[in-house]
């Protein structure tokens, strides 16, 4: 029987299998029941139960009614000798570098929310124990919970699924058990200290310490992975993939809404041909099949007409009433997804845009400059953010960041529904200052200023969206 690799039960199965491989339950730690799993991963009981049955069928656990679950074996006897690890080594090295870039800001941002979620911090965050690698994962997971962002958690779970036990295994193998345990204990204790120090108000110092801890942890992992990568061929390497929403995702709906907004605002003028399927697929980071479905939907909605041998022409503006009734839009759900993606973009934008700036070709920097120069402020903001995201997706040296930002770009299309009745001429608060900073950073070739300016842009866009909603 074929299983959808991105289904809820497959995702839960792979997370739990990874935790078994990592040794999360080696000391008799309670293995979660189907009800525990359903609550933790916010799914119904059925996919949780199916995930447990899959683990049992593969011989990893035994379900004992009324007595709890027994761990029978790990997925890999030696993960580092498995074909899976060998196929992923290059991508894991890239992933570790990507995490080193974005985890400091994610961890630091979570500290602002911890006290609301965990009133008794001293009971929630402990300094460690015998199973120090498990404690380190758990401390980070608790911090991530504080963001209350399912999109960020989806990314975390997909990282866990892809990395499995590789990060800790390479440390134990390359550095030895005693050195690795001491190293991880030190990271764990200093991370918990940062949490306590933040609550006392020492925020600038804590930010610096968090950055140093993440740098120290992933630099060591990176060095170990480089040793393994040097002995492997790159042929047949597997890439990291993030699927923010598990199950079947209809990207054509949200892309259609974005394209209708562009038709309404004159970016795709009535009577003119739309860009070709291949070009649009590149812009939206989807397959040509998805774009053909999108064009079909635009035809059905009466805003475009496809002519064989000619192309697809914009023929009418999209009316709000038509769009609100598109099957499968689920506005409340899509708005939540959009806001979560926007939050993740705001948190990570500064280091990511700073990282990618030296690799952006002049022609794309010119495109960003042209977007900034658009006279209509709202249209200028949207165009500048879009050009910046395209720069990251196409030119960031880290493949995992390119993957993450391509999916963030798609998730942000969920917010297009908010632009249906906009003309693009609306004024944007502080836009003259932000656009000036971006223009100056490009002129001065200043990556730090460029990253900071795009952080301001994303924050400002979030504020504009909030005003639209309220």
């Amino acid at each position: 029987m074929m299983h959808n690799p991105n289904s809820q039960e497959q995702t839960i199965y792979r997370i739990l299998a990874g935790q078994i491989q990592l040794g999360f339950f080696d000391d008799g730690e309670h293995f979660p029941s189907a009800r525990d799993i359903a609550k933790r991963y916010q799914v119904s009981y059925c996919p949780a139960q199916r995930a447990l049955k899959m683990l049992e069928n593969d011989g990893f656990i035994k379900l004992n009614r009324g007595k709890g679950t027994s761990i029978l074996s790990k997925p890999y006897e030696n993960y580092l000798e498995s074909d899976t690890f060998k196929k992923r080594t290059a991508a894991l090295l890239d992933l570790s570098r990507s995490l080193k870039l974005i985890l400091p800001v994610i961890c630091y941002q979570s500290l602002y929310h911890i006290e609301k979620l965990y009133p008794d911090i001293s009971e929630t965050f402990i300094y460690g124990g015998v199973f120090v690698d498990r404690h380190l994962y758990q401390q980070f997971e608790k911090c991530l919970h504080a963001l209350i962002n399912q999109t960020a958690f989806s990314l975390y779970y997909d990282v866990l699924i892809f990395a499995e036990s590789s990060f800790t295994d390479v440390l134990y193998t390359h550095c030895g058990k005693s050195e690795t345990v001491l190293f991880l204990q030190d990271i764990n204790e200093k991370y918990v200290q940062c949490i306590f120090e933040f609550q006392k108000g020492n925020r600038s110092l804590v930010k610096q310490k968090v950055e140093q801890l993440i740098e120290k942890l992933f630099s060591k992992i990176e060095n170990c992975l480089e040793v393994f990568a040097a002995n492997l061929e790159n042929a047949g390497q597997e890439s990291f993939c993030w699927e923010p929403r598990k199950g079947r995702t209809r990207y054509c709906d949200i892309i259609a809404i974005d394209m209708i907004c562009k038709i309404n605002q004159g970016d795709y003028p009535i009577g003119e041909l739309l860009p070709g399927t291949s070009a649009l697929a590149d812009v939206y980071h989807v397959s040509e099949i998805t774009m053909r479905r999108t064009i079909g939907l635009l035809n059905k909605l009466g805003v475009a007409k496809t002519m064989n041998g000619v192309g697809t022409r914009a023929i009418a503006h999209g009316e709000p009433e038509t769009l609100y009734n598109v099957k499968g839009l689920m506005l409340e759900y899509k708005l939540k997804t959009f806001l979560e993606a926007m939050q993740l973009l705001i948190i990570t934008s500064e280091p990511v845009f700073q990282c990618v700036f030296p690799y952006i070709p002049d022609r794309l920097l010119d495109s960003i400059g042209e977007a900034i120069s658009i006279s209509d402020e709202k249209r200028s903001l949207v165009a500048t953010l879009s050009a910046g995201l395209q720069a990251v997706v196409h030119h960031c040296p880290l493949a995992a960041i390119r993957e993450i930002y391509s999916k963030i770009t798609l998730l942000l299309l969920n917010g297009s529904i908010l632009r249906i009745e906009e003309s693009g001429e609306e004024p944007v608060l502080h836009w003259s200052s932000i656009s000036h900073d971006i223009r100056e950073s490009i002129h001065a070739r200043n990556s730090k200023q460029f990253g900071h300016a795009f952080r301001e842009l994303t924050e400002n866009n979030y504020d504009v969206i909030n005003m639209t909603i309220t």
Side-chain angles (χ1 to χ4, degrees), residues 172-216:
Y172 281 117
T173 300
H174 189 67
C175 304
K177 183 175 181 179
S178 58
E179 181 182 331
T180 299
V181 168
L182 289 173
F183 174 72
L184 294 177
Q185 280 179 340
D186 181 62
I187 295 289
N188 186 53
E189 289 174 6
K190 287 179 178 175
Y191 186 45
V192 175
Q193 286 172 9
C194 286
I195 295 171
F196 292 142
E197 286 295 318
F198 185 88
Q199 302 306 315
K200 295 176 182 176
N202 303 327
R203 295 182 177 178
S204 59
L205 180 62
V206 167
K207 185 177 182 181
Q208 184 180 354
K209 285 184 176 179
V210 168
E211 289 171 354
Q212 290 171 349
L213 278 178
I214 301 296
E215 169 77 25
K216 182 179 178 181

Side-chain angles (χ1 to χ4, degrees), residues 48-294:
Q49 183 63 29
R50 286 197 294 268
L52 288 176
K53 290 299 295 182
M54 289 162 62
L55 289 169
E56 185 175 49
N57 291 340
D58 286 345
F60 303 145
I61 65 172
K62 180 172 176 55
L63 299 171
N64 305 305
R65 182 170 293 183
K67 297 181 180 179
T69 299
S70 305
I71 306 295
L72 299 181
S73 67
K74 294 186 177 183
Y76 304 95
E77 186 176 342
N78 186 334
Y79 180 69
L80 300 185
E81 292 182 358
S82 69
D83 289 338
T84 301
F85 174 71
K86 292 173 183 176
K87 289 178 183 177
R88 294 179 180 176
T89 307
L92 287 166
L93 182 55
D94 175 90
L95 182 59
S96 69
R97 291 167 178 162
S98 301
L99 293 173
K100 184 166 66 172
L101 179 69
I102 63 174
L103 270 187
V105 287
I106 292 175
C107 290
Y108 180 72
Q109 188 64 34
S110 71
L111 299 181
Y112 283 93
H113 306 275
I114 280 176
E115 203 166 18
K116 296 176 186 176
L117 193 63
Y118 307 111
D120 194 346
I121 295 175
S122 60
E123 291 292 326
T124 304
F125 295 93
I126 56 176
Y127 281 99
V130 177
F131 294 87
V132 63
D133 41 354
R134 184 183 73 196
H135 281 293
L136 191 56
Y137 274 100
Q138 290 173 338
Q139 309 288 33
F140 173 72
E141 196 168 305
K142 289 171 186 174
C143 286
L144 196 57
H145 263 296
L147 289 177
I148 314 178
N149 185 317
Q150 285 302 309
T151 299
F153 244 103
S154 168
L155 174 57
Y156 169 66
Y157 288 141
D158 279 1
V159 168
L160 279 186
I161 288 168
F162 188 80
E164 298 188 275
S165 61
S166 59
F167 290 160
T168 51
D169 283 358
V170 294
L171 289 175
Y172 281 117
T173 300
H174 189 67
C175 304
K177 183 175 181 179
S178 58
E179 181 182 331
T180 299
V181 168
L182 289 173
F183 174 72
L184 294 177
Q185 280 179 340
D186 181 62
I187 295 289
N188 186 53
E189 289 174 6
K190 287 179 178 175
Y191 186 45
V192 175
Q193 286 172 9
C194 286
I195 295 171
F196 292 142
E197 286 295 318
F198 185 88
Q199 302 306 315
K200 295 176 182 176
N202 303 327
R203 295 182 177 178
S204 59
L205 180 62
V206 167
K207 185 177 182 181
Q208 184 180 354
K209 285 184 176 179
V210 168
E211 289 171 354
Q212 290 171 349
L213 278 178
I214 301 296
E215 169 77 25
K216 182 179 178 181
L217 174 61
F218 281 96
S219 290
K220 199 173 187 72
I221 292 172
E222 185 181 326
N223 290 338
C224 295
L225 282 169
E226 284 175 344
V227 174
F228 287 92
N231 299 318
L232 294 173
E233 296 180 1
N234 288 327
Q237 283 288 301
E238 185 180 342
S239 300
F240 168 71
C241 180
W242 175 35
E243 286 299 334
R245 289 292 175 259
K246 307 308 177 190
R248 181 168 294 185
T249 304
R250 282 180 55 89
Y251 288 125
C252 56
D253 288 345
I254 56 178
I255 295 172
I257 295 171
D258 187 69
M259 291 185 68
I260 291 170
C261 288
K262 289 178 178 178
I263 292 171
N264 288 354
Q265 295 175 8
D267 295 331
Y268 296 145
I270 300 296
E272 298 290 327
L273 289 173
L274 299 175
T277 302
S278 179
L280 287 169
D282 186 58
V283 167
Y284 289 106
H285 319 300
V286 295
S287 68
E288 291 191 22
I289 293 174
T290 297
M291 279 315 310
R292 283 195 287 272
R293 288 173 180 160
T294 303

Side-chain angles (χ1 to χ4, degrees), residues 259-260 263 272 274 294-307 312-317:
M259 291 185 68
I260 291 170
I263 292 171
E272 298 290 327
L274 299 175
T294 303
I295 296 299
L297 182 57
L298 293 176
N299 276 265
K300 189 181 294 186
L301 291 171
V303 298
K305 184 175 182 180
T306 301
M307 295 160 283
T312 301
R313 196 180 302 277
I315 61 171
H317 291 112

Side-chain angles (χ1 to χ4, degrees), residues 362-385:
D362 288 342
R363 61 175 176 76
L364 193 45
L365 288 175
D366 291 341
S367 296
I368 294 173
E370 290 170 6
I372 295 169
S373 302
I374 295 173
S375 58
D376 298 332
E377 291 189 349
K378 185 60 183 291
R379 185 176 291 138
S380 179
L381 183 152
V382 173
T384 304
L385 180 57

Side-chain angles (χ1 to χ4, degrees), residues 3-19:
H3 293 282
N4 176 1
N6 294 315
S7 66
Q8 291 177 332
E9 57 261 37
Q10 275 286 333
T11 300
I12 294 167
Y13 164 85
R14 292 161 73 190
I15 292 170
L16 293 174
Q19 291 179 348

